[in-house]
Amino acid sequence: MKLKFLALFLFFSVQLFGQKITPAKWSWSLSPAQPTVGQEAELIFKVTIDKGWYLYSSDFDKDLGPVVTSVTLKPGLGVEAVGPLKAINPHSKEDKEIWGGTYTYFTENAEFRQKVKITSENWLIDVAYDSQTCSNESGLCVPIKGNFKISATEDSKKKASDVAGGGLIEFFFVALGAGLLALLTPCVYPLIPMTVSFFTKKQGGKRLAFLYGLFIVLIYVFFGTILAFFAGASFANFLSTHWIPNLLFFVIFVFFGISFLGAFEIVLPSGLVNSVDAKSDKGGLMGVFFMAFTLVLVSFSCTGPLAGSILIAASQGVFLKPIIGMLGFSLAFAIPFTLFAIFPGFMKSLPKSGNWMNEVKVVLGFLEIALAFKFLSVADQVYHWHLLDREIFLAIWIAVFGALTLYLFGKISLPHDGPSKNLSVPRTLFATAVLAFVIYLIPGMFGAPLKGLSGWLPPLSSQDFKGSGASVAVPVKTDQGQKKYADFLTLPLGLQGFFDFEEAKAYALKVNKPLFIDFTGHGCVNCRKMEENVWSDPQVLKRLQEKYVVVALYCDDKTELPSEQWYVSKVDGQEKKTLGDQNLDFQITRFNSNAQPHYVLLDPRNDASPMVKPVAFDADINHFVSFLDQGVTIYQAAK
């Protein structure tokens, strides 16, 4: 039950963070500004609509289909509505083919008026508005919702900015929840042993630990928001997928891991040490700050889609909301890592501290080395180096955790270990658990899917040898022919499909099937989880194979395209040269989302908008089956 709740929460969090486009800005006023009891007044709503977009009006039959603009006045606050909402001079259009009637709409600017009557001296106008804007050029429709309040003591002429999608408090808690979910990503785990080891050597106890948490929040909020105005989501994407930061993180964690094993001690230059000692009353703030800065950088390498959505909001000029979002997101990291920083203080207060503390440090060293290979794996997949395919990755993990097993059972010793003694019960139990994990990994060398580690391991498609335990689709003869990018890209589970949208669309029209668009990424953890835990289910796999034409669009692939295919994006004004950049730009432009996974069901005969609301990460197999079936039903009904 808890896993289902987590999956559903992530789904709704990603959906909210995907909303970046706000093509209509609402403002309002009250005339007269301060009406008295018994007096009527008029709420005046003015909407500025982006070029190329239109907003549905309020004065047509809501049963036609489009979302009718409406405002709802909260009752019992000394104000009541008088008559319906009135639209001022909208355009009208008859469309019997799609809507079966005439609807009204606005372009560029809209105005609505609602009469109200004041019934109490201490009145409060609490209004929620609901509308929809659409664009024929992009095929997108964006819901615009919000609320505002005007009280008897407030300056009613003050214009508030749009708060579409909910208030700041709701946005804060969504960001907090997204940050808590991001803690589960592989890039965060290597920082746990690093934090524990770092603060084991520090004096200052809880004071430094709380400063560590504070620095995490400040760095996220300040540097993250500032960077948004210069780089937007591209900075988060750079940290997530580019080979430079991933190799840098790999080297850093291997370096720290070897140090934890006792090969050498990481010490600061003597001049810096003396300077820090001279300022000991400050508690070594510089070291704590840079430790926090490291955590922020590394966490971005796995949480880019979520944090990047907040950065996009900042880059579009919405200043306060991204600050609130980054605050909630960073608090999710600061709280647990503050506790990890406090933990060494608890260890030091325990009696009879001795060799067991070095043993803890060694265990952390092995974990650090194993987890470091996740960063190398991301770069390897994105750039198609094929240095760390699945069997090589598993062989390294089996070796690392096998060595840890031998260490815990006392079969090998390291430089700083004390004299050999009988094994304690906790150490024996932990050693047995690690041994069980190694045994679990071994079948993966022969193609076992190892679903418990989906997202951590390279995809099964990168493995040369696959045993009978690997889930694959039953081969079906197709006439798909030679496909673009199929020489270096593959679909999971033996599925047949495409890696270019236009090519897939043409084939879908030929075979009369709907399109299943998989916006994915080589370094996308949740994409692998969906493929290995949801797609592998026979019900899902059969539908993908028989009912749809599948196209996988990798949004982080670094393959550079021929120069004649380059173009400048209308979204961010940057030139798109790589396959991944163009796929991500296509996702943002057409489907108003920049997070992966993102699944879209499209009718190739009329691809202006998805047949069904797109879905993101959702580990419930029944939900995904229903999603696919709904798309097939709508497609067949439209024949």
Side-chain angles (χ1 to χ4, degrees):
M1 189 67 184
K2 291 182 178 179
L3 288 176
K4 287 186 178 181
F5 176 80
L6 187 66
L8 287 171
F9 187 84
L10 177 60
F11 170 78
F12 286 113
S13 297
V14 171
Q15 290 299 311
L16 185 142
F17 275 111
Q19 297 296 321
K20 304 175 301 302
I21 300 176
T22 309
K25 311 296 188 302
W26 282 66
S27 62
W28 45 85
S29 61
L30 182 64
S31 178
Q34 289 294 317
T36 58
V37 177
Q39 185 179 6
E40 287 189 356
E42 199 166 43
L43 279 168
I44 303 171
F45 306 92
K46 292 188 177 181
V47 189
T48 303
I49 307 166
D50 289 351
K51 186 177 181 180
W53 292 77
Y54 59 93
L55 180 140
Y56 288 111
S57 184
S58 60
D59 53 356
F60 61 90
D61 187 355
K62 65 180 180 181
D63 293 331
L64 288 179
V67 176
V68 178
T69 298
S70 63
V71 297
T72 304
L73 196 66
K74 189 173 182 179
L77 299 177
V79 183
E80 60 184 28
V82 178
L85 180 68
K86 184 179 181 181
I88 308 300
N89 298 324
H91 307 294
S92 63
K93 183 176 182 180
E94 184 178 11
D95 193 334
K96 293 184 178 180
E97 182 179 351
I98 297 178
W99 301 121
T102 301
Y103 65 89
T104 55
Y105 64 99
F106 291 95
T107 58
E108 298 185 353
N109 294 286
E111 182 174 335
F112 302 92
R113 297 190 174 222
Q114 174 67 62
K115 285 187 177 182
V116 296
K117 184 177 181 179
I118 306 301
T119 61
S120 174
E121 185 175 353
N122 296 317
W123 53 268
L124 173 65
I125 296 175
D126 189 340
V127 171
Y129 59 88
D130 188 0
S131 62
Q132 185 179 53
T133 54
C134 297
S135 168
N136 289 328
E137 296 177 2
S138 65
L140 296 176
C141 283
V142 180
I144 304 294
K145 302 180 180 181
N147 56 73
F148 70 94
K149 297 179 181 180
I150 303 176
S151 70
T153 58
E154 181 181 359
D155 180 7
S156 302
K157 295 181 180 179
K158 180 179 179 181
K159 304 295 179 68
S161 62
D162 177 54
V163 290
L168 294 177
I169 295 178
E170 292 86 348
F171 187 72
F172 170 82
F173 282 108
V174 171
L176 179 67
L180 291 173
L181 291 171
L183 286 171
L184 303 178
T185 57
C187 302
V188 177
Y189 284 91
L191 288 162
I192 297 175
M194 182 181 290
T195 296
V196 173
S197 176
F198 179 84
F199 282 92
T200 300
K201 304 175 184 179
K202 288 289 180 184
Q203 302 295 326
K206 295 180 181 179
R207 177 175 174 269
L208 280 185
F210 283 114
L211 284 172
Y212 179 52
L214 178 62
F215 283 144
I216 292 172
V217 173
L218 292 177
I219 292 170
Y220 258 110
V221 173
F222 180 75
F223 287 101
T225 305
I226 294 300
L227 279 169
F229 289 99
F230 296 98
S234 60
F235 178 72
N237 182 265
F238 172 82
L239 287 177
S240 302
T241 61
H242 200 277
W243 68 269
I244 294 178
N246 277 285
L247 286 188
L248 179 62
F249 297 145
F250 168 73
V251 171
I252 289 174
F253 291 127
V254 169
F255 181 75
F256 269 85
I258 294 174
S259 173
F260 294 167
L261 297 182
F264 51 84
E265 290 290 332
I266 300 176
V267 295
L268 295 173
S270 58
L272 182 58
V273 172
N274 293 334
S275 175
V276 171
D277 288 340
K279 300 177 181 179
S280 59
D281 59 316
K282 295 184 179 180
L285 295 183
M286 183 177 293
V288 176
F289 173 81
F290 281 107
M291 184 65 202
F293 190 70
T294 300
L295 182 142
V296 172
L297 286 178
V298 174
S299 65
F300 257 102
S301 66
C302 264
T303 60
L306 293 177
S309 296
I310 302 174
L311 296 182
I312 288 176
S315 66
Q316 292 178 338
V318 185
F319 187 73
L320 184 59
K321 196 168 186 178
I323 291 177
I324 297 297
M326 294 297 278
L327 177 63
F329 193 81
S330 60
L331 278 175
F333 280 85
I335 292 172
F337 275 94
T338 298
L339 296 177
F340 289 134
I342 293 174
F343 176 67
F346 291 138
M347 290 201 305
K348 290 181 179 180
S349 65
L350 293 174
K352 299 179 181 178
S353 60
N355 189 54
W356 72 275
M357 292 189 68
N358 180 69
E359 294 169 359
V360 170
K361 183 179 176 183
V362 169
V363 171
L364 296 179
F366 277 112
L367 292 175
E368 199 82 358
I369 292 173
L371 296 173
F373 282 90
K374 176 60 183 173
F375 298 104
L376 181 59
S377 175
V378 170
D380 182 67
Q381 293 172 55
V382 170
Y383 288 91
H384 310 292
W385 295 335
H386 296 293
L387 300 175
L388 203 62
D389 288 340
R390 193 171 188 266
E391 63 268 30
I392 304 299
F393 189 98
L394 281 169
I396 293 172
W397 268 32
I398 290 171
V400 171
F401 286 104
L404 175 57
T405 302
L406 293 175
Y407 175 80
L408 290 172
F409 276 122
K411 301 302 181 182
I412 59 176
S413 60
L414 292 170
H416 297 299
D417 289 334
S420 177
K421 296 180 181 179
N422 294 332
L423 297 181
S424 65
V425 173
R427 179 169 173 171
T428 301
L429 292 175
F430 186 63
T432 303
V434 177
L435 176 60
F437 181 66
V438 174
I439 295 172
Y440 172 76
L441 291 175
I442 292 174
M445 294 287 293
F446 305 97
L450 302 181
K451 292 184 179 180
L453 292 173
S454 58
W456 289 77
L457 305 177
L460 192 60
S461 58
S462 70
Q463 186 157 331
D464 294 329
F465 176 76
K466 302 179 182 67
S468 58
S471 298
V472 294
V474 177
V476 173
K477 291 183 179 180
T478 67
D479 56 348
Q480 293 181 3
Q482 187 67 31
K483 293 170 286 188
K484 294 174 68 174
Y485 316 123
D487 55 329
F488 59 89
L489 294 176
T490 59
L491 281 165
L493 308 171
L495 283 167
Q496 299 298 309
F498 296 85
F499 309 97
D500 177 81
F501 173 74
E502 293 298 334
E503 196 173 51
K505 178 182 174 181
Y507 182 77
L509 289 170
K510 178 181 177 181
V511 298
N512 194 23
K513 288 184 179 181
L515 277 168
F516 175 86
I517 307 177
D518 170 26
F519 287 102
T520 184
H522 298 291
C524 174
V525 174
N526 286 329
C527 299
R528 304 292 86 77
K529 289 182 179 180
M530 285 293 294
E531 293 162 4
E532 296 183 25
N533 293 298
V534 178
W535 289 27
S536 62
D537 183 86
Q539 300 179 80
V540 176
L541 202 55
K542 181 179 177 65
R543 285 165 171 78
L544 289 176
Q545 181 191 32
E546 298 179 358
K547 302 296 185 181
Y548 286 92
V549 172
V550 179
V551 52
L553 301 180
Y554 282 82
C555 297
D556 60 0
D557 194 274
K558 301 301 181 183
T559 302
E560 187 168 303
L561 299 174
S563 57
E564 60 269 17
Q565 297 182 26
W566 298 356
Y567 67 89
V568 176
S569 170
K570 296 180 180 178
V571 176
D572 58 14
Q574 298 180 3
E575 191 170 30
K576 305 301 178 183
K577 300 180 179 180
T578 68
L579 177 62
D581 286 344
Q582 292 192 5
N583 285 336
L584 180 60
D585 188 63
F586 176 67
Q587 181 186 357
I588 294 173
T589 304
R590 285 292 304 273
F591 304 108
N592 192 30
S593 172
N594 73 327
Q596 298 83 44
H598 191 74
Y599 305 115
V600 179
L601 305 182
L602 210 60
D603 186 338
R605 301 163 303 187
N606 180 19
D607 63 352
S609 60
M611 296 185 295
V612 184
K613 183 179 180 181
V615 303
F617 179 83
D618 185 352
D620 191 309
I621 293 173
N622 291 330
H623 288 172
F624 208 77
V625 169
S626 176
F627 168 67
L628 295 174
D629 286 346
Q630 188 178 358
V632 171
T633 301
I634 294 175
Y635 179 80
Q636 292 176 345
K639 286 185 178 180

